[in-house]
Amino acid sequence: MEDDKIKSLFADFEPELTSDVQFMNNLQRSLTTVDIIRQHAAESRSRNKKAVVIGLVMGFIVGFLFSLLLPYLSDTVSNWQLTLPRESLLKTFANNFNPIAWIVIGTTSVLAALNTYEVSLSLLNPKKSH
């Protein structure tokens, strides 16, 4: 009984089959699209890696240059510290100059690396033609 009901449901079902040529054309178009997407993804990964390396190098250079200035700044702050009153807020800053300076150097290096990454990534992106 149920078999008859199922057979009657599908009795009028005659799907239109596409030709083999049309199927192959659709398949080829889909494969081409997948290849294009893979190529764009690979190019994007490559640009991203280059931008990361450029950002890291720039962050290292900025940190290195600022750390070279640290002894000169420490001497300047030490001399300046002698002229400050004992209860001055600037005296507290001068007493803790080295840790504050290293925090500033680290922050500056990270910000330089991030900004360089963003700029280099935008410069490495291909120009869109309309």
Side-chain angles (χ1 to χ4, degrees), residues 72-93:
Y72 302 110
L73 291 174
S74 292
D75 287 342
T76 304
V77 170
S78 294
N79 293 334
W80 177 57
Q81 183 180 9
L82 298 174
T83 64
L84 294 173
R86 183 167 272 203
E87 278 81 35
S88 173
L89 181 64
L90 294 175
K91 184 88 166 182
T92 306
F93 170 76

Side-chain angles (χ1 to χ4, degrees), residues 22-129:
Q22 187 178 5
F23 173 78
M24 290 304 290
N25 287 340
N26 287 340
L27 181 62
Q28 186 62 40
R29 190 170 39 247
S30 296
L31 290 175
T32 303
T33 303
V34 168
D35 286 340
I36 290 170
I37 291 171
R38 281 186 184 153
Q39 181 181 8
H40 285 299
E43 290 170 0
S44 178
R45 278 191 304 272
S46 174
R47 282 192 305 271
N48 210 1
K49 287 178 183 178
K50 289 176 186 175
V52 165
V53 168
I54 292 169
L56 286 174
V57 167
M58 184 56 113
F60 178 78
I61 290 171
V62 167
F64 178 73
L65 292 177
F66 275 113
S67 66
L68 287 178
L69 293 175
L70 192 58
Y72 302 110
L73 291 174
S74 292
D75 287 342
T76 304
V77 170
S78 294
N79 293 334
W80 177 57
Q81 183 180 9
L82 298 174
T83 64
L84 294 173
R86 183 167 272 203
E87 278 81 35
S88 173
L89 181 64
L90 294 175
K91 184 88 166 182
T92 306
F93 170 76
N95 288 336
N96 297 310
F97 176 74
N98 280 337
I100 293 170
W102 281 112
I103 290 170
V104 170
I105 289 171
T107 303
T108 305
S109 298
V110 168
L111 290 176
L114 289 174
N115 287 326
T116 303
Y117 167 77
E118 290 291 331
V119 169
S120 61
L121 192 61
S122 68
L123 292 175
L124 290 172
N125 275 338
K127 305 293 184 233
K128 307 271 188 213
S129 60

